[in-house]
């Protein structure tokens, strides 16, 4: 089927929303809003409240939903993204530092990530660290691609002054790679490496696999926030693994069993747990609770995976 919908201006967009049953008291204000936040972006916040079956013309399911309600929902989600992005930044920087420092000190080698023996699959090692010319073509792995893209002075200085190794030491290299690539590196390292166990234990976890999963999931969540995408009512592509044994109270086995592993509440629990080790004085929990307490009309906590009795969970008390 060929896409044949014609573009419409903001005046027509407002009329379309009104025709579908959305209450719009100030049409000019709504137009101004749609000049700054696209109709299509806002659609992510109206969709759950509309009839979306074929032939239903996306009519609103409730008669009391207004454009103001939708805009308040959007602003709530934007505030939530900002809060989470700042929290994840602390976690990312802390884990980045721990990986570079712990492995460097334990191995006595700042270029430890070039040692294939530390990886559980040789293909993963090659995918990350490859840097060779084959038949006249340069083939480089993900780490080097990101290092080469960096314009940080310390990276430029390294390449200006040193000819080998081809990579800067880990405390430089890992500073300029994305959280996604950092996650891939940590995931590729053998879970039985003493350094990985130390890093996990330092963050209150007894299983390296759990930290690998959490770093992967938080990397995806960070990208969602960075691209200004919707958090409310979202199902994430990476399911969380919940540990039953931790150095500080997390979620009990019974609590974890009742939580959807691909909804926001689980992710928030992971962030809150890690911040206890990384930033004990963090205001994340207080700020989050304040935001949730002031949530607008259309925000239902169950849409984000919150259990009914979540306030009674040890982690959240």
């Amino acid at each position: 089927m060929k896409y044949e919908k014609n573009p419409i201006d903001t005046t027509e967009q407002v009329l379309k929303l009104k025709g579908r049953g959305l209450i719009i008291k100030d049409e000019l204000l709504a137009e101004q809003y749609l000049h700054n936040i696209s109709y299509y972006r806002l659609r992510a916040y109206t969709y759950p409240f509309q009839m979306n079956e074929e032939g239903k013309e996306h009519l609103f399911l409730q008669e009391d939903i207004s454009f103001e309600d939708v805009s308040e929902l959007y602003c709530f989600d934007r505030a939530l993204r900002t809060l989470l992005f700042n929290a994840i930044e602390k976690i990312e920087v802390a884990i980045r530092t721990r990986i570079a420092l712990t492995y460097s000190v334990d191995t006595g080698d700042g270029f430890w990530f070039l040692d294939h023996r530390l990886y559980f699959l040789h293909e993963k090692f090659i995918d990350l660290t490859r840097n060779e010319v084959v038949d006249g073509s340069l083939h480089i792995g993900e780490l080097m691609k990101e290092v080469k893209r960096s314009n940080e002075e310390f990276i430029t200085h390294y390449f200006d002054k040193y000819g080998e190794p081809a990579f800067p030491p880990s405390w430089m290299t890992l500073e300029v790679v994305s959280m996604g690539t950092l996650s891939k590196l940590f995931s590729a390292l053998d879970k039985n490496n003493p350094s990985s166990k130390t890093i996990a234990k330092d963050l209150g976890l007894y299983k390296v696999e759990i930290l690998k999963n959490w770093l992967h999931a938080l990397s995806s969540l960070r990208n969602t926030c960075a691209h200004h995408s919707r958090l409310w009512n979202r199902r994430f592509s990476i399911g969380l693994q919940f540990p039953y044994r931790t150095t500080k109270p997390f979620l009990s086995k019974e609590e974890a069993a009742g939580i959807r592993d691909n909804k926001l509440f689980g992710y928030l629990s992971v962030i809150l747990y890690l911040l206890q080790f990384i930033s004990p004085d963090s205001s994340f929990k207080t700020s989050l609770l304040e935001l949730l307490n002031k949530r607008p009309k259309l925000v239902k906590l169950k849409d984000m995976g919150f259990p009914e009795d979540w306030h009674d969970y040890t982690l959240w008390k």
Side-chain angles (χ1 to χ4, degrees):
M1 179 188 296
K2 184 179 179 181
Y3 188 90
E4 296 180 331
K5 294 181 179 180
N6 294 320
I8 59 175
D9 62 22
T10 54
T11 300
E12 293 173 288
Q13 290 170 9
V14 169
L15 292 175
K16 178 175 279 193
L17 289 170
K18 285 190 72 174
R20 290 173 173 174
L22 186 65
I23 300 169
I24 303 179
K25 297 176 182 177
D26 189 333
E27 294 184 18
L28 182 59
L29 182 61
E31 284 186 42
Q32 292 173 347
Y33 204 100
L34 292 170
H35 267 297
N36 294 304
I37 300 171
S38 76
Y39 179 94
Y40 190 74
R41 175 176 289 275
L42 208 62
R43 173 90 167 107
Y45 298 91
T46 63
Y47 187 88
F49 306 107
Q50 294 175 269
M51 299 179 189
N52 298 301
E53 299 87 354
E54 190 70 32
K56 296 292 186 180
E57 298 182 350
H58 304 298
L59 297 174
F60 279 81
L61 295 163
Q62 299 172 226
E63 296 180 354
D64 63 340
I65 296 181
S66 69
F67 190 89
E68 183 179 4
D69 293 330
V70 176
S71 62
E72 286 178 351
L73 171 57
Y74 177 84
C75 290
F76 166 83
D77 199 56
R78 183 177 59 196
L80 184 60
R81 283 197 304 272
T82 300
L83 179 64
L84 266 60
F85 190 83
N86 290 336
I88 294 171
E89 178 191 1
K90 291 181 179 180
I91 293 170
E92 176 189 351
V93 170
I95 294 180
R96 188 186 298 275
T97 302
R98 281 164 169 76
I99 294 173
L101 181 63
T102 305
Y103 267 94
S104 294
V105 172
D106 287 353
T107 63
D109 181 9
F111 301 92
W112 55 267
F113 58 95
L114 300 178
D115 184 351
H116 69 92
R117 294 169 299 180
L118 294 175
Y119 296 77
F120 77 97
L121 285 177
H122 191 68
E123 308 89 84
K124 299 286 187 183
F125 166 71
I126 296 298
D127 288 344
L128 286 162
T129 64
R130 191 177 188 188
N131 187 55
E132 59 183 343
V133 177
V134 179
D135 297 328
S137 298
L138 179 62
H139 296 265
I140 60 176
E142 291 189 53
L143 282 175
M144 181 57 83
K145 285 179 183 177
E146 298 202 17
V147 168
K148 288 290 189 182
R149 281 201 296 264
S150 173
N151 58 5
E152 290 286 354
E153 288 186 14
F154 58 85
I155 294 294
T156 303
H157 173 73
Y158 178 84
F159 286 121
D160 286 345
K161 186 172 183 179
Y162 302 100
E164 58 178 296
F167 283 86
S170 62
W171 50 85
M172 295 183 190
T173 293
L174 297 195
E175 275 299 310
V176 299
V177 302
S178 66
M179 189 176 181
T181 299
L182 183 73
S183 171
K184 289 178 183 177
L185 171 64
F186 189 68
S187 243
L189 294 168
D190 196 310
K191 67 180 182 181
N192 294 313
N193 290 340
S195 299
S196 285
K197 292 181 178 180
T198 298
I199 294 164
K201 187 69 177 296
D202 191 43
L203 294 170
L205 300 170
Y206 289 96
K207 289 189 174 182
V208 173
E209 300 97 310
I210 297 292
L211 183 56
K212 288 184 178 186
N213 169 256
W214 285 9
L215 187 55
H216 185 197
L218 292 182
S219 170
S220 175
L221 177 59
R222 180 210 173 278
N223 289 341
T224 299
C225 294
H227 290 94
H228 321 298
S229 299
R230 171 179 50 86
L231 293 180
W232 164 81
N233 200 30
R234 190 182 196 94
R235 287 191 295 272
F236 296 94
S237 59
I238 301 165
L240 289 165
Q241 296 175 20
F242 298 123
Y244 296 142
R245 182 171 173 243
T246 54
T247 58
K248 289 186 178 183
F250 177 56
L251 299 170
S252 70
K253 188 174 183 179
E254 294 71 27
E255 290 167 349
I259 294 173
R260 295 180 63 180
D261 63 7
N262 65 345
K263 297 291 278 187
L264 189 61
F265 178 75
Y267 280 70
L268 294 172
S269 297
V270 166
I271 291 171
L272 181 58
Y273 182 74
L274 290 175
L275 286 177
Q276 293 180 93
F277 299 89
I278 292 167
S279 182
D281 297 325
S282 169
S283 61
F284 172 75
K285 182 178 179 181
T286 301
S287 299
L288 176 63
L289 294 178
E290 287 178 357
L291 182 62
L292 294 177
N293 288 334
K294 294 187 294 184
R295 64 187 181 274
K297 166 185 169 181
L298 296 182
V299 175
K300 302 293 186 289
L301 293 184
K302 67 177 182 179
D303 294 333
M304 296 184 287
F306 280 71
E308 285 188 12
D309 56 347
W310 67 277
H311 271 301
D312 297 326
Y313 289 8
T314 303
L315 180 65
W316 288 97
K317 282 183 178 178

